[in-house]
Amino acid sequence: HLLLFLLFVGPFNCFASYSRATELFYSLNEGLPAGVLIGSLARDLRLPTAGGQNPASLQPPLSFTLASDGLGGQYVQLDNRSGELHTSAVEIDREALCVESSGATILGGSAAVSSSSPSPESCLLLLDVLVLPQEYFRLVKVKIAIRDVNDNAPRFPVPHIRLLVPENAPVNTRLAIEHAALDPDMGTNGVQTYRLRDNYGVFTLDVEENENGERTPYLIVMGALDRETQDEYVTVIVAEDGGTPPLVGSATLTIGISDVNDNCPQFNDSQLNVTLYGNSSLGTHVATVHAVDMDLGSNAQITYSYSQKVPQPSRDLFHLNESTGAITLSTKVDGDTPRLHRLIVLGNGPGCIPAVITVLVTIIKVMMRPPEVVPRFIANEVEGVVYLKELEPINTPVAFFTIKDPDEKYKVSCYLDGDGPFRLSPYKPYNNEYLLETTKPLDFETQQLYEISVVAWNSEGFHVKKVVKIQVLDDNDNSPVFSEQLIELSIEENNVPNAFLTKLHATDADSGERGQVSYFLGPDAPSYFALDKTTGVLTVSTQLDREEKEKYRYTVKAVDSGFPPRESIATVTITVLDKNDNSPRFINKDFSFFVPENFPGFGEIGVISVTDADAGQNGWVALSVLNGSDIFVIDTGKGVLRAKVSLDREQQSSYILWIEAVDGGDPALSSTAKITILLLDINDNPPLVLFPQSNMSYLLVLPSTLPGSPITEVYAVDKDTGMNAVIAYSIIGRRGPRPESFRIDPKTGNITLEESLMQNDYGLYRLLVKVSDHGYPEPLHSTVMVNLFVNDTVSNESYIESLLRKEPDISVEEKQPQISIEPTHKKMESASCMPTLVALSIISLSSIALVTGMGIYICLRKGKKHHREDENLEVQIPLNGRINLHMLEKKPMEISNI
C-alpha cells in the first residue's frame, strides 16, 4: 500500500523519500523566493506531533536542529519545532552552486516520501538534521535536488565570429562554427537551435549533437560562391534555447570567401603598334604590355615572356622585362636591322593558359642627325626642374636655348610647345640663341607646376623636343579668409560653463607654414569668451544672463604663420536666447486699497502692477485671484482689480485677497501678492430705535416722582462707523398738559422729569423724539413716539389705548441737538431741594410755608439752569474703538470711528 501511495504522489512539485535509514530526498526549482515550503521533516518521518491521538501533555516537544553550518544551511530555514524546511533569503542559483554539474534530474512531488534517489547528475544540497528528544533521536540525511529553470540566455564566447569558405566550395559543404554558444542552463533550457538573420540565399545552419550532448552549429553552403563577385558576407548568428519562453543570444558572423585560382591573365588589347626611330639610343622605351588577373595573391601573379614564334634576332634587339612587361631597345639599330618586328608576348599565370598580345614595332631609318637643343638655365634649376617664386615680375628670364644642326646642312627653327605664361624669343644679335622668359606674374595658388617643351625642327621635318619643368615657389601673398565675415550665433541663457559656441574656419591659399592659420579674439571681446588658437573653437566660460545683456558683438582674427604674418578680421554676434528663469515680480508684495462702500459693481478698485524680466512668451504674465474669485475679478492685461458686486461695509469691512501672477514659460513660473481692501464707511444706515419698540407703548409716571428722576430712555444703534454712527437724541414735538416737564439727554437718550408734577399735570404726554446721526454730507435720522401717562394708577387701559390711536396734533420743532466734542468732567447734577423742604416742614409747617415755596421756586430755577448747561456740553469722540451693536443695556454707549 505504501508503494502505491508513493507512486500516486510522486509527480508533485516537491517530494521526500523516507526509509528506516532516515534519509529524506526533496527537490525544488532554483531562484525561489524566501519562505517557500520545501518539506516537513516531522510529517515525512511520521513522528508524533501535538495534534496526534495522544494528549499533547504526554508528548515531549520535538526539536529539529541542523547538525552543522555547511554550505546548504545558508539556503534553507529549519523550524526547530515543526521541522518544516523553507527557502531562505539567499536565492539558490543552480548554475553558481553546481558549476561542474552537467545535468539535473527532476524528481517531482512536493513533500512526498520516496525510496528512490536523485540522479547522480543532480545538483544537490546536503543537510544533516538532528531530531530530539532522546525518544525520537536520529540523524536525518536530507538531500535537496535543485531543478534547473530557464534563467540564462545563450551567450557566444566572442562577439564577432569569422569563418573562411573557399570560393570553389561545392553545394552542401559543411563547416563547423568553432565558437558555439554557451548556456549555463541544462536540458531543454540549454541551447537547442541556431539560425541566421540573413542567409543571402546561399547559406544555412545545421546543428549536430555529440554523445556528450554538446550541440555544434555547422554552416552549410547552399549556392555557388564567387570571390570576385562578393568576397565577404556579414550576418548575425542567433542561438535559441528551449525554455518557455525561449531566450536568445547573438553574435556577428563574418563569412569570408577565400580565393582560388579560377581566373587567368587577360590583355585588354590583342595588338599594339609602335614606331621607333633608327637613331634611338640604347635603353629607349619601346612599349609596355599589361595583363590583368582577377584572383588574389600568388594566384594573380603574372610573368611575361616571348612566344617561341618570336625569332631570335628580334629577341636580341628588344628586351622584355618578365615582371613589368616593359620592352626596351637592347642593341643599336644598324642598316641591316629589319624595319618590321612582330613581337608575340605571353602573359603567364599559375595553372593557366597564357594570354597573348602582339606588339608590331616599325623602325624608321634616319639618314641625318637630329637638331640639338642646348639649355643654359638662368633661374635656379635642380635635376631638370626650374624653380621660380610667385609674384616674380614680368619678363623674368628663365633660360637660354642654343639651337643648332650637327651636320650644319639644314636650317633649324624652334618654337615653344605647352601652356603657361612663358614665351620663347630670339635673342639678338646672336643667331640660333633663344631666351625663355615669363609674360606675367606666376601665382602658386593658381598653378604650381608647368611643363613646357622647346621644339627644334629642321627643313627636312625632323623634330626634337626639350622638356622643361617649372615649379612655382609659394610666397606669403594671401591672407586668411573666413568662411563668413559676419558670424551670427545664438545660445540659451544659463548655459553650462565652457559651453561650445561654434568652430571658426578660415582658409589660407598659401602652402606650408604660410597657410597655417591661428585664431585670436579681438580687443573688444569680453574676457569670459575663449577662442582656441589652433582649432578655432569658440566657447564661453561663464553663464550668460539675457536679462543682464542680450547681444554681444566683437571681432576675431585669423593670422597665418608667414613672414611677415597676414591676418583678416571677422565679426561675431551672439544673441542670448531667453529662458524662463525669472518669476513675475509684483511692484509691492502687499497692496492696500481703500474703497467706499456701495462702490458700483465692476468699478476699478485699483491696478496691480507686475513685471517679468524674461522676453517673449516667457514674459507674458497672467493674473488671477486665488481666493474670493466669486466676488472679485482681475483684468489680466491691465491688472485692474474689480468687484463683481457692490460692497457693503456693514456686511464685511475688509477683504484680503491673494493674487497669483503666472508667466507664459514652459514650465511656467509664478508669484503671489497680498491685496488688502478696506471699505470706507458711507452714511447709508439711519439710526435704528430699539426702545421703545412701538409708538403705541406707554409708561405710567406717578405724580409723586421727584424732579430729576429718570423716567425712561430712548435707545438706538447705527450700523455705520465713526461720525456716521454718533447718535444724538432730541425732542422735536410735545403734547400734554405741561409738555415741557420732560427733557431728553442728547447723548444717552435718557428722559427725566424736569419739574414737579402738580394736580393739573395729570394726563397723557406724547413726546416725538428724533434720533439722528452725524453722517456726512447728509445726516440720517429716525423718529419714535414716547408716550407717558401721568396718573396714580392705570384704571382704564382701553381709554389710554384709544388716545394713543388718535393722531397727535404735534408741531415739529426743527431744533438740532448739540453734542460736544470735548466732554467736561464737571457735570453738575440737578439739585434736589426736597431734603431741605422736609427739614423746614418738621421745624415749622406754618412759619416756613412761604420760605418753602420760595425754596422750591429757587431749586426749580437752578435745575433749569443746569439743564441748559448739559445741553451745551460737548462730548469727545474717540478715534479708536468699535460699537457693539449687540450691547442693548440701558447705559451710555461708547461711540467710535475706525
Side-chain angles (χ1 to χ4, degrees), residues 569-597:
I569 296 175
T571 302
V572 175
T573 63
I574 300 175
T575 302
V576 182
L577 303 179
D578 185 52
K579 205 172 184 179
N580 193 28
D581 58 343
N582 290 276
S583 300
R585 294 186 61 184
F586 290 93
I587 292 180
N588 299 314
K589 296 302 290 183
D590 295 321
F591 292 84
S592 297
F593 298 107
F594 295 87
V595 181
E597 64 172 330

Side-chain angles (χ1 to χ4, degrees), residues 385-403:
V385 179
V386 178
Y387 295 91
L388 291 178
K389 288 184 178 181
E390 64 173 334
L391 303 182
E392 287 281 359
I394 299 175
N395 300 328
T396 296
V398 178
F400 278 114
F401 288 90
T402 301
I403 309 300

Side-chain angles (χ1 to χ4, degrees), residues 739-776:
E740 67 274 3
S741 300
F742 299 95
R743 68 175 294 273
I744 189 169
D745 189 301
K747 294 186 301 178
T748 65
N750 291 333
I751 298 177
T752 57
L753 182 62
E754 189 76 3
E755 299 175 350
S756 299
L757 297 174
M758 303 301 180
Q759 185 73 27
N760 296 330
D761 295 338
Y762 285 31
L764 181 62
Y765 290 79
R766 308 196 73 175
L767 305 178
L768 180 60
V769 178
K770 179 180 180 182
V771 183
S772 177
D773 60 24
H774 283 63
Y776 179 83

Side-chain angles (χ1 to χ4, degrees), residues 436-751:
L436 179 64
E437 58 186 354
T438 61
T439 58
K440 63 180 182 179
L442 304 178
D443 187 1
F444 175 85
E445 289 71 36
T446 302
Q447 188 170 345
Q448 294 87 36
L449 180 66
Y450 294 91
E451 187 170 322
I452 56 178
S453 299
V454 176
V455 181
W457 57 282
N458 59 20
S459 56
E460 297 297 322
F462 200 87
H463 293 74
V464 173
K465 285 185 178 181
K466 180 64 177 179
V467 178
V468 179
K469 294 182 179 180
I470 299 176
Q471 176 69 53
V472 181
L473 300 178
D474 187 30
D475 200 356
N476 193 30
D477 59 336
N478 290 277
S479 299
V481 178
F482 281 100
S483 56
E484 294 177 309
Q485 286 299 114
L486 178 61
I487 304 166
E488 296 179 323
L489 308 174
S490 62
I491 184 174
E492 274 196 347
E493 62 176 331
N494 304 330
N495 55 281
V496 296
N498 300 317
F500 173 83
L501 292 175
T502 189
K503 184 176 182 180
L504 302 181
H505 181 64
T507 57
D508 193 315
D510 295 323
S511 63
E513 292 185 355
R514 291 172 292 272
Q516 294 180 359
V517 180
S518 300
Y519 302 91
F520 302 93
L521 290 172
D524 54 344
S527 60
Y528 39 83
F529 288 96
L531 180 58
D532 189 278
K533 175 182 177 181
T534 304
T535 64
V537 173
L538 180 64
T539 57
V540 56
S541 61
T542 186
Q543 283 190 344
L544 301 179
D545 187 357
R546 189 204 66 83
E547 289 73 35
E548 181 179 333
K549 189 171 183 180
E550 184 177 6
K551 294 281 188 179
Y552 294 87
R553 185 183 181 94
Y554 53 86
T555 57
V556 290
K557 294 191 299 183
V559 183
D560 64 21
S561 301
F563 182 81
R566 302 174 70 98
E567 66 180 39
S568 62
I569 296 175
T571 302
V572 175
T573 63
I574 300 175
T575 302
V576 182
L577 303 179
D578 185 52
K579 205 172 184 179
N580 193 28
D581 58 343
N582 290 276
S583 300
R585 294 186 61 184
F586 290 93
I587 292 180
N588 299 314
K589 296 302 290 183
D590 295 321
F591 292 84
S592 297
F593 298 107
F594 295 87
V595 181
E597 64 172 330
N598 302 329
F599 194 67
F602 292 97
E604 182 178 322
I605 294 175
V607 177
I608 311 299
S609 297
V610 62
T611 60
D612 193 313
D614 293 321
Q617 186 173 345
N618 294 332
W620 296 350
V621 179
L623 298 174
S624 61
V625 181
L626 296 180
N627 61 325
S629 58
D630 54 338
I631 300 177
F632 297 94
V633 294
I634 191 166
D635 186 340
T636 297
K638 298 181 180 178
V640 177
L641 181 64
R642 307 176 190 272
K644 299 179 183 178
V645 297
S646 179
L647 304 177
D648 187 358
R649 190 206 62 80
E650 285 70 41
Q651 293 183 2
Q652 187 170 340
S653 61
S654 64
Y655 296 87
I656 295 179
L657 305 179
W658 289 96
I659 303 297
E660 182 182 37
V662 181
D663 62 23
D666 184 18
L669 301 178
S670 63
S671 60
T672 58
K674 180 182 177 183
I675 311 297
T676 302
I677 301 174
L678 300 174
L679 297 182
L680 303 177
D681 186 47
I682 291 179
N683 191 28
D684 57 346
N685 292 281
L688 176 63
V689 178
L690 300 179
F691 186 83
Q693 298 179 353
S694 171
N695 289 336
M696 301 299 291
S697 62
Y698 65 94
L699 182 67
L700 177 64
V701 180
L702 298 177
S704 60
T705 302
L706 296 178
S709 299
I711 304 300
T712 184
E713 72 170 344
V714 176
Y715 184 69
V717 295
D718 195 316
K719 294 182 180 179
D720 295 323
T721 60
M723 293 300 296
N724 295 334
V726 176
I727 298 175
Y729 302 88
S730 62
I731 299 174
I732 61 173
R734 303 169 185 263
R735 186 175 178 81
R738 192 154 55 96
E740 67 274 3
S741 300
F742 299 95
R743 68 175 294 273
I744 189 169
D745 189 301
K747 294 186 301 178
T748 65
N750 291 333
I751 298 177

Side-chain angles (χ1 to χ4, degrees), residues 210-274:
N210 60 17
E211 55 189 21
N212 295 327
E214 297 176 350
R215 296 174 178 266
T216 303
Y218 280 80
L219 181 71
I220 302 176
V221 179
M222 301 296 294
L225 303 176
D226 185 6
R227 187 205 63 81
E228 288 72 33
T229 303
Q230 184 169 352
D231 61 354
E232 187 177 75
Y233 298 86
V234 179
T235 184
V236 175
I237 181 172
V238 179
E240 183 176 303
D241 63 22
T244 303
L247 303 178
V248 299
S250 62
T252 302
L253 176 63
T254 300
I255 305 170
I257 309 302
S258 60
D259 185 52
V260 296
N261 191 27
D262 57 347
N263 291 278
C264 291
Q266 290 183 353
F267 288 105
N268 293 330
D269 300 313
S270 60
Q271 183 171 312
L272 187 63
N273 298 320
V274 180

